[in-house]
Amino acid sequence: MIMNVPMNKLGLEGTQEVWIIDLKLNPELIGLLQQKRGYFPAYHMNKEHWSSVILNDETDFAELKNLIDDSYQITNS
C-alpha cells in the first residue's frame, strides 16, 4: 500500500506529509531495517509484521524493489 501521511504519524516531528509504502516482511528483517534511516514501524498496520518505508530522494530503490518482491511472496502464500 502506498499512501501520503503526516510525519508525526511515523513518530517524526512535524505535520508535513510524506509518501510511504507499507510492506509485510519477516519480523527479524523489520528489526534490522528499522535501524536504518527511512524505515519505521508500520503506519496503520500490525507493527510486528509490517514496516513503513518513506519514499523520497534518499530511498534505495534497488533495495526497495527486493523488499516489495519479498512482501508479495509473503502475502501471496
Side-chain angles (χ1 to χ4, degrees):
M1 175 178 354
I2 296 175
M3 64 186 119
N4 202 2
V5 299
M7 292 173 64
N8 61 1
K9 297 293 185 182
L10 299 172
L12 299 171
E13 289 188 27
T15 57
Q16 176 184 353
E17 292 192 346
V18 292
W19 286 99
I20 62 167
I21 184 170
D22 280 347
L23 301 170
K24 187 169 188 179
L25 300 168
N26 178 306
E28 292 81 23
L29 179 59
I30 289 172
L32 292 172
L33 289 173
Q34 289 178 4
Q35 295 176 23
K36 298 170 70 172
R37 185 177 174 108
Y39 293 85
F40 298 89
Y43 170 71
H44 204 63
M45 302 294 274
N46 177 307
K47 291 168 182 26
E48 180 182 353
H49 297 280
W50 291 80
S51 185
S52 291
V53 183
I54 290 181
L55 303 174
N56 62 20
D57 59 348
E58 295 180 18
T59 304
D60 180 345
F61 284 99
E63 178 178 60
L64 182 60
K65 180 194 174 302
N66 291 330
L67 294 174
I68 291 170
D69 289 343
D70 291 348
S71 182
Y72 176 80
Q73 291 302 320
I74 291 169
T75 58
N76 196 34
S77 53

